[in-house]
Amino acid sequence: MKQPPILVDGASGYVGNKSAVFPLQLLGYDVDPINSVQFSNHTGYPTFKGQVLDGQQLLDIINGLEANNLLCYTHLLTGYIRSKSFLNKVLQVVEKLRSINPGLIYVCDPVLGDEGKLYVPPELVSVYCQKVVPVASMLTPNQFEAEKLTGSRINSEKDGLKACNFLHDAGPSKVVITSLHLDDKLLLIGSHQKSKGLSPEQFKIVIPKIPLNFTGTGDLLTALLLGWSNKFPDDLDKASELAVSSLQAVLHRTVSDYRNAGFNPESTNSLEIRLIQSQEDIRNPHVNF
Ligand code: ADP
Ligand code: MG
Ligand code: MG
């Protein structure tokens, strides 16, 4: 029987676990989510209330699972982590899960920031570089994060592919740069190094840009990449096409749902993705990339 992936991530609004868990369940996975925060709404709103899980509380949950022999997971997925101490505890969790299942796949979305801005304390960057990237199986940075993790600017597709090579050398065999903004184009770049020392298989997907902002798209994409690449472990290209196809269908449905409900999507800062309404597109994506 397939063991469930476990997730450690923020909750609330359609970001974090709320963007990731339902799609994974739709793809047939049994998921044990751990909410690293429990907020009224995501932090893109003017105000929020709620609680933050500290590193010790995370370890308590892991210890409880271990005490019942329930700590056998095939996958670990992590997203937005806000503090160095919590990130260090997550590293302990990776180590513990691997001591039980050496084949554990750790899918790491190294959430650091976007569009030139960090949204975590700067000290986290070196922890990701030195300790997290080396133990990740798959890494899904956006352009800004790939630049931070490699220390080099990415101004072309070639730079993006070089960044993937750098990251493979540091650890993960699968790297997906989820968005590269080059001129007016939006590209996803994927790279799969099938054996250490071999040249990776690399590909790109050109994504038609919708001139609107959405929240939770990165979280959703990483979850879909985990889900599909587990079904097609030797074909990151195909897994990425499926993931991007679902995601684009979700975004188009989101825009039309806002319009149908009488809201002008252009007048909103950021749109909440319509996941529940898009279940068919997640289960059976119509591949058009
Ligand atoms: P992150 O939140 O991690 O920065 P990205 O910005 O890389 O995530 O977005 C993840 C994916 O979401 C992209 O690969 C793209 O497929 C999709 N996406 C997000 N915003 C848009 C948009 N405005 N138009 C088209 N696709 C988008
Ligand atoms: Mg982005
Ligand atoms: Mg991301």
Side-chain angles (χ1 to χ4, degrees):
M1 211 180 84
K2 203 163 265 309
Q3 296 291 332
I6 185 171
L7 294 101
V8 186
D9 203 351
S12 59
Y14 280 90
V15 303
N17 278 345
K18 218 170 145 189
S19 275
V21 176
F22 179 63
L24 280 167
Q25 289 170 331
L26 285 176
L27 295 183
Y29 295 95
D30 199 348
V31 185
D32 287 354
I34 297 179
N35 292 331
S36 59
V37 300
Q38 185 66 56
F39 287 163
S40 52
N41 46 264
H42 66 66
T43 56
Y45 287 89
T47 171
F48 63 94
K49 297 274 182 215
Q51 295 81 41
V52 177
L53 191 78
D54 67 33
Q56 190 50 50
Q57 290 166 325
L58 169 66
L59 291 188
D60 287 347
I61 293 171
I62 299 300
N63 290 338
L65 286 163
E66 190 179 25
N68 291 305
N69 282 327
L70 294 172
L71 207 56
C72 189
Y73 289 96
T74 56
H75 294 75
L76 169 72
L77 170 61
T78 64
Y80 185 28
I81 293 171
R82 301 139 41 99
S83 78
K84 188 173 169 181
S85 66
F86 197 88
L87 186 54
N88 277 313
K89 293 288 192 285
V90 168
L91 284 162
Q92 287 182 31
V93 174
V94 176
E95 203 176 318
K96 185 164 258 198
L97 293 177
R98 286 229 168 104
S99 73
I100 294 166
N101 174 14
L104 174 95
I105 293 172
Y106 172 29
V107 177
C108 173
D109 186 2
V111 179
L112 297 171
D114 207 355
E115 290 166 16
K117 267 195 256 132
L118 269 182
Y119 32 69
V120 297
E123 58 183 12
L124 259 71
V125 177
S126 63
V127 183
Y128 271 102
C129 291
Q130 287 161 21
K131 298 202 216 160
V132 183
V133 171
V135 298
S137 319
M138 172 151 91
L139 201 68
T140 60
N142 61 27
Q143 177 171 2
F144 174 74
E145 290 155 353
E147 290 180 340
K148 287 277 162 202
L149 295 175
T150 59
S152 302
R153 293 302 305 270
I154 301 176
N155 293 318
S156 64
E157 199 182 316
K158 200 165 151 226
D159 291 346
L161 295 172
K162 273 202 329 219
C164 293
N165 293 342
F166 178 100
L167 293 167
H168 286 312
D169 287 345
S173 61
K174 292 181 182 174
V175 176
V176 176
I177 301 180
T178 57
S179 53
L180 270 186
H181 298 270
L182 298 174
D183 305 321
D184 56 345
K185 277 198 299 188
L186 176 57
L187 290 188
L188 172 148
I189 285 187
S191 186
H192 183 190
Q193 188 179 45
K194 291 191 170 165
S195 319
K196 271 283 165 216
L198 278 191
S199 301
E201 290 175 13
Q202 303 189 308
F203 61 90
K204 69 168 174 192
I205 300 177
V206 180
I207 300 168
K209 218 187 259 185
I210 304 170
L212 292 165
N213 288 320
F214 303 88
T215 49
T217 51
D219 301 318
L220 173 57
L221 181 60
T222 299
L224 292 171
L225 285 169
L226 185 164
W228 287 114
S229 65
N230 188 53
K231 293 177 197 278
F232 301 103
D234 293 322
D235 201 345
L236 185 60
D237 189 341
K238 178 169 184 170
S240 303
E241 281 167 7
L242 286 158
V244 168
S245 297
S246 282
L247 179 47
Q248 294 307 309
V250 171
L251 299 187
H252 284 288
R253 179 174 299 274
T254 298
V255 175
S256 60
D257 266 25
Y258 268 79
R259 290 223 166 89
N260 292 342
F263 288 103
N264 174 9
E266 276 83 21
S267 69
T268 316
N269 271 349
S270 195
L271 307 181
E272 293 283 5
I273 49 176
R274 294 289 193 252
L275 268 191
I276 311 297
Q277 297 82 344
S278 308
Q279 357 194 335
E280 258 327 294
D281 295 314
I282 295 169
R283 249 193 232 107
N284 293 308
H286 178 72
V287 175
N288 35 18
F289 290 94

